[in-house]
Amino acid sequence: MILLVLVLVNVLQAEYTDDMVYIHEWGVIEMDEQYLQVRGCPDGYITPDGYFQEYPMAEVTAPVVYFYGAESYGTFSVRVRDGAFTLLLPYPDSLSHDVGEEDCYTAVWENLRITSPMPSADATTEASAATRGPEFESCFDWAVPFWQAVPANNIRYPSTGYEDVFIYYESVMNNPSMFIGDYYNHVGEVLIFSSEDGEMVCEYTTVPVESDAIRDTLSDVEIMAVLYTWGDGGMYAEEIAALWHTWKPLLKTRCELENLTLMLFPLTERQESMVSTLSFVPVENILIQFDRLLLGLGAI
């Protein structure tokens, strides 16, 4: 069934019309990572048997945003709820902090120009590299070729001269309570990564895991097929490939070198909205459609 899904991906891929703007986003939240912070009391709780359990500091470490469909011109924004941005590319026109019922930051890119894909990938690479600073290069610069292989529209940001096929941001969540619990409070399909004879293997199952549950061992192609179904068919196969090639090295490192067992799972729409919300206001009177695929990743 998984292979059949993958075969049908490009056949059934929606044809985007030129009378709508389609905005895609994918990203991963590392549930078990921590930041070094100076504080008087650690963020966690005492278990009934007297042990201290830390709350994880969840970080969305690779949200990549693409535009498809109609050529357009307008203002794009990302709002982070109860958290903050740690990296933005390109740097936005404004970054506001709203302390009300929720502690929110909003990044706004004005006058974005969305046009048909550039005829040459080399031209895109050169334009993008010219506006990327050393801070970005030290993070995910090696993954950019994967992201640029996606057949998305070109994004031009006059404020900085940035030109590429994606917008990128990182953010932290100050209150990850919705992910605290068995299996990070997730119920349903998961991919389990572990080490077997020194090599990473991936199994497809559901949680809570039953002792007699069938667990299929998957190839890279089958893993991408599962990720595609988690996106409800709204993502391009090239986007799924970019996601997988970006995160596979980290998974291999944690499984094979650190001997950890990791769980990868899709967030619900409500959880996605608690992480961040996206908005695009075009100058033209045109419809907008959003498709998002945010995943959780953590040791179990």
Side-chain angles (χ1 to χ4, degrees):
M1 180 60 70
I2 293 173
L3 287 174
L4 177 61
V5 169
L6 192 65
V7 169
L8 294 176
V9 163
N10 287 323
V11 176
L12 300 179
Q13 185 73 57
E15 291 294 331
Y16 293 149
T17 62
D18 58 5
D19 59 350
M20 286 186 65
V21 173
Y22 305 83
I23 301 175
H24 292 188
E25 178 194 40
W26 60 261
V28 176
I29 302 178
E30 291 187 80
M31 301 293 181
D32 53 357
E33 290 298 300
Q34 295 286 328
Y35 274 111
L36 296 178
Q37 297 184 25
V38 179
R39 52 188 172 185
C41 180
D43 188 8
Y45 63 96
I46 303 299
T47 63
D49 51 3
Y51 292 99
F52 182 78
Q53 177 65 52
E54 291 182 317
Y55 286 150
M57 172 67 80
E59 180 178 6
V60 187
T61 50
V64 185
V65 180
Y66 296 101
F67 289 76
Y68 299 92
E71 294 192 350
S72 57
Y73 174 74
T75 298
F76 176 69
S77 63
V78 178
R79 183 176 176 85
V80 174
R81 301 175 62 178
D82 199 11
F85 293 103
T86 55
L87 188 60
L88 294 154
L89 182 76
Y91 200 79
D93 287 290
S94 65
L95 185 60
S96 61
H97 186 198
D98 178 19
V99 182
E101 294 184 3
E102 295 178 318
D103 189 2
C104 299
Y105 281 87
T106 304
V108 179
W109 292 264
E110 298 179 5
N111 302 319
L112 276 188
R113 299 178 184 273
I114 313 300
T115 60
S116 299
M118 296 184 73
S120 168
D122 292 337
T124 301
T125 302
E126 292 173 4
S128 173
T131 57
R132 271 184 264 137
E135 181 183 20
F136 184 80
E137 291 175 1
S138 66
C139 299
F140 272 101
D141 197 56
W142 59 270
V144 168
F146 301 138
W147 306 347
Q148 291 175 330
V150 173
N153 283 349
N154 187 54
I155 301 170
R156 185 169 179 270
Y157 186 47
S159 293
T160 63
Y162 176 85
E163 191 167 3
D164 213 312
V165 296
F166 64 86
I167 287 179
Y168 176 94
Y169 72 92
E170 292 181 358
S171 63
V172 294
M173 297 177 62
N174 294 330
N175 181 17
S177 59
M178 63 179 165
F179 299 118
I180 296 173
D182 293 339
Y183 301 107
Y184 302 102
N185 267 347
H186 177 73
V187 175
E189 297 179 355
V190 297
L191 293 175
I192 303 295
F193 296 87
S194 60
S195 179
E196 186 175 295
D197 297 326
E199 298 288 334
M200 183 179 74
V201 295
C202 176
E203 296 175 301
Y204 169 79
T205 186
T206 59
V207 293
V209 178
E210 299 179 4
S211 59
D212 58 347
I214 298 175
R215 298 173 63 158
D216 298 321
T217 302
L218 307 184
S219 66
D220 280 24
V221 172
E222 292 170 318
I223 290 169
M224 287 186 280
V226 172
L227 298 178
Y228 181 82
T229 63
W230 286 354
D232 294 327
M235 311 294 285
Y236 268 120
E238 292 88 345
E239 290 175 297
I240 299 301
L243 188 164
W244 174 240
H245 290 309
T246 299
W247 285 92
K248 182 180 178 180
L250 175 68
L251 289 163
K252 283 179 62 66
T253 298
R254 299 192 70 187
C255 289
E256 297 176 2
L257 299 185
E258 300 177 17
N259 198 31
L260 294 174
T261 298
L262 305 172
M263 185 178 93
L264 187 68
F265 59 96
L267 271 59
T268 65
E269 288 187 13
R270 178 180 177 276
Q271 288 172 331
E272 289 177 341
S273 68
M274 294 294 289
V275 171
S276 64
T277 54
L278 311 182
S279 173
F280 182 63
V281 181
V283 173
E284 315 92 330
N285 184 18
I286 195 168
L287 296 176
I288 312 295
Q289 177 176 310
F290 292 92
D291 289 289
R292 308 178 72 191
L293 176 60
L294 298 186
L295 306 177
L297 171 66
I300 56 173

